[in-house]
Amino acid sequence: MNEINSQRNLTMMTDLYQLTMMYGYYRCGMDKNEAVFDMFFRQRDNSAYAIMAGTESVVDYINGLHFAKEDIDYLRSLNLFDEGFLKLLADMRFTGEIYAMTEGTVVFPYEPLIRVKAPIMQAQLVETAILNLVNHQTLIATKAARVVYAAQGDGVMEFGLRRAQGPDAGIYGARAAMIGGCTGTSNVLTGQMCGVPVSGTHAHSWVMSFPSEIEAFRAYADIFPDSCMLLVDTYDTLRSGVPNAIKVFNELRAKGHKPIGIRLDSGDLAYLSKRARIMLDDAGYPEAKICASGDLDESVIRDLKAQGAKIDLWGVGTKLITSMDFPALGGVYKLAAEIVDGRIVPKIKLSENVAKMTNPGYKKVYRFYSNTTGMALADLIALEGEKFDFSKPLTVYHPEQRYKSKTLYDYNVRELLTPLFIDGKQVYECPNMGDIQKYAKAELATFWEESKRLMNPHVYKVDLSDELYALKHELIEGLRNVEKAE
């Protein structure tokens, strides 16, 4: 995937205000200043967690970051920037550092998913692209994880390309869905790029192209005798589709082949799957799979499972690839600190809406696990220079309601942010998709079911360290006092 992505230069995929701010820094003599920015998301309404995705795309984007001659020519045509600034852009390459959550990591609101420390012009420029890449892919990976959770161990296939909002959304959405736990995709290009399984059989048009359903099934079985899954709802699922599929399965078996199963794409999937299961079992095909598709999501799958639907595989398209019920992650990219004479000067954004206030400083994130159960206990957002004695009990608090606390005793800990770039050089080796999927699955397994349930999930504990909490409130009080003085 890296080789294909490295051919793309997304430098101009930015908002104009990034460039006007960069020009302002240049004109004010601030272009050499360093800054720290955090990319994070705020509280989601329908999920207690998210699944990090898009890290590899960020690596590819930064590696390709440069303004080509035609980019500079276009920017000159806007009549906004002087030649000195345009020359600066033409020579610009990323020279800073980037730390990130690795793909497949379970992440929570307000935790830095990406931390950028760089000259302020560079750090400002990369905002839009980083948000675009991580917001979308994390959103779809999270949606896929919820769908896979609802399927309770059944295979889930991503079928959404034709309904995705454009080629990139389809390609990278399918990749993100695989990180979230899907077992395959219908998207052939994603399969080629990422080395993931592709799946698909035939559409209703195949059946309708033949004089009869049985002839369509026989033709398909003749061409694909060892991977025969038949779509049975073109005309009448129970009176025609399933009986004709069984006839063709009998013919395949007589020739020494083993059919895969049937697919249902419409109707009452609970009722139809239960009736089809009986028919297949009675015909001697208890191992034949029943696949369902058609406007599915985690809520529909949960309900179908509760109704005893006999479905083995789920093909989920539109509502997964668009995350229809929650169409944006809402990730933001905020200034957290400036570097002045080598000294970190923390910055904070205030708001009447507490949810929109930021956490200041140059930060890292710890995750604590029980030594007894291996389960995740809590996360801690801390300042980079803080020292801890993790051999002793640690008390974590609610970041705002400090009367809520929990003391950790027998635990181990790991840092979640991983270096991608140091001094502008890539230091991170992107793992293959198989390793990402294994990691994501193992990550999710360390969280209790209460935190993963689809409705009213338990809120996992994410605390601010004592020093970070004190710094935040010191800055708040300082800014309020300035406002009063003015």
Side-chain angles (χ1 to χ4, degrees), residues 64-239:
L65 192 69
H66 70 281
F67 288 94
K69 180 181 182 302
E70 57 268 26
D71 301 332
I72 300 300
D73 290 342
Y74 172 74
L75 294 177
R76 181 180 290 111
S77 75
L78 299 179
N79 295 316
L80 291 172
F81 313 115
D82 66 27
E83 288 300 318
F85 178 69
L86 294 175
K87 175 65 165 60
L88 199 63
L89 293 186
D91 295 336
M92 180 181 289
R93 299 295 185 273
F94 187 78
T95 60
E97 71 169 39
I98 299 179
Y99 279 66
M101 302 283 194
T102 56
E103 292 189 294
T105 301
V106 177
V107 293
F108 296 93
Y110 303 103
E111 295 181 336
L113 308 188
I114 305 274
R115 187 186 75 193
V116 177
K117 186 177 80 167
I120 194 165
M121 286 178 57
Q122 298 175 26
Q124 198 74 69
L125 173 64
V126 301
E127 172 183 357
T128 301
I130 285 177
L131 285 172
N132 176 277
L133 297 168
V134 176
N135 265 327
H136 172 249
Q137 294 181 53
T138 299
L139 176 74
I140 303 306
T142 306
K143 182 67 170 180
R146 288 170 58 80
V147 171
V148 169
Y149 179 80
Q152 299 176 23
D154 297 339
V156 176
M157 297 167 288
E158 184 280 316
F159 278 4
L161 178 58
R162 65 188 63 192
R163 303 284 175 79
Q165 283 104 339
D168 276 5
I171 295 164
Y172 294 99
R175 179 183 183 276
M178 299 298 294
I179 293 172
C182 288
T183 56
T185 176
S186 65
N187 188 325
V188 177
L189 182 54
T190 297
Q192 179 188 27
M193 290 170 64
C194 303
V196 297
V198 293
S199 58
T201 54
H202 64 81
H204 297 105
S205 57
W206 173 266
V207 177
M208 296 162 65
S209 298
F210 288 79
S212 66
E213 185 176 62
I214 188 70
E215 289 174 88
F217 286 179
R218 280 175 173 148
Y220 192 83
D222 184 57
I223 299 167
F224 301 103
D226 295 311
S227 57
C228 183
M229 177 171 280
L230 301 174
L231 178 61
V232 296
D233 72 330
T234 304
Y235 302 121
D236 189 314
T237 300
L238 299 181
R239 294 180 182 177

Side-chain angles (χ1 to χ4, degrees), residues 11-60:
T11 306
M12 290 284 280
M13 190 179 78
T14 192
D15 293 304
L16 181 62
Y17 84 159
Q18 311 292 10
L19 291 164
T20 57
M21 283 190 287
M22 292 166 66
Y23 187 51
Y25 294 138
Y26 163 75
R27 290 291 299 271
C28 294
M30 298 167 60
D31 51 297
K32 300 288 194 301
N33 293 5
E34 274 199 306
V36 178
F37 283 82
D38 294 334
M39 187 257 159
F40 60 93
F41 68 96
R42 300 187 178 107
Q43 195 69 46
R44 291 166 55 86
D45 293 332
N46 69 339
S47 181
Y49 68 92
I51 303 295
M52 179 66 179
T55 306
E56 182 175 306
S57 293
V58 170
V59 170
D60 293 327

Side-chain angles (χ1 to χ4, degrees), residues 221-471:
D222 184 57
I223 299 167
F224 301 103
D226 295 311
S227 57
C228 183
M229 177 171 280
L230 301 174
L231 178 61
V232 296
D233 72 330
T234 304
Y235 302 121
D236 189 314
T237 300
L238 299 181
R239 294 180 182 177
S240 170
V242 177
N244 282 330
I246 289 171
K247 289 179 186 177
V248 172
F249 290 171
N250 289 336
E251 294 166 3
L252 278 174
R253 178 183 279 173
K255 297 176 182 177
H257 301 288
K258 183 178 179 180
I260 301 298
I262 63 170
R263 177 162 71 95
L264 305 170
D265 190 54
S266 60
D268 185 333
L269 296 177
Y271 171 74
L272 292 174
S273 66
K274 286 186 275 190
R275 293 297 305 163
R277 181 76 274 158
I278 292 170
M279 295 167 72
L280 289 166
D281 290 353
D282 289 347
Y285 296 99
E287 75 286 352
K289 303 293 185 184
I290 298 178
C291 175
S293 55
D295 291 326
L296 300 175
D297 64 7
E298 66 269 42
S299 297
V300 175
I301 292 173
R302 177 196 59 202
D303 290 348
L304 287 170
K305 299 286 281 189
Q307 294 161 28
K310 300 298 182 181
I311 296 169
D312 307 292
L313 301 168
W314 306 85
V316 187
T318 305
K319 293 182 179 180
L320 192 166
I321 204 66
T322 64
S323 188
M324 186 175 286
D325 63 329
F326 199 90
L329 181 71
V332 294
Y333 183 92
K334 298 297 182 182
L335 179 68
E338 289 184 326
I339 315 295
V340 178
D341 297 326
R343 183 172 57 90
I344 295 173
V345 179
K347 298 289 182 176
I348 188 170
K349 176 187 179 295
L350 296 187
S351 173
E352 292 297 321
N353 182 351
V354 175
K356 290 199 169 186
M357 293 176 63
T358 61
N359 292 318
Y362 187 46
K363 299 178 293 295
K364 54 189 173 183
V365 185
Y366 293 107
R367 179 159 295 160
F368 301 90
Y369 299 88
S370 167
N371 282 328
T372 304
T373 65
M375 303 300 282
L377 298 170
D379 286 7
L380 183 69
I381 307 174
L383 296 170
E384 179 65 35
E386 282 190 75
K387 303 297 182 184
F388 298 91
D389 185 352
F390 291 133
S391 66
K392 296 180 179 179
L394 178 76
T395 300
V396 294
Y397 299 86
H398 188 284
E400 297 300 330
Q401 302 165 27
R402 302 297 279 183
Y403 63 88
K404 296 181 180 179
S405 65
K406 176 180 181 178
T407 300
L408 312 180
Y409 293 97
D410 186 22
Y411 62 84
N412 61 80
V413 61
R414 72 179 177 109
E415 280 195 51
L416 297 185
L417 288 172
T418 298
L420 306 184
F421 291 86
I422 300 293
D423 295 328
K425 305 297 183 184
Q426 181 181 338
V427 296
Y428 176 73
E429 183 176 350
C430 296
N432 62 45
M433 180 55 67
D435 288 339
I436 295 172
Q437 288 176 298
K438 289 176 185 175
Y439 169 70
K441 185 176 182 180
E443 267 279 278
L444 275 167
T446 65
F447 288 85
W448 297 104
E449 298 301 303
E450 290 84 352
S451 294
K452 295 184 286 189
R453 63 182 175 229
L454 301 179
M455 298 294 293
N456 300 316
H458 172 75
V459 177
Y460 178 79
K461 293 174 178 60
V462 178
D463 185 22
L464 305 183
S465 69
D466 290 343
E467 287 191 28
L468 176 54
Y469 180 83
L471 172 63

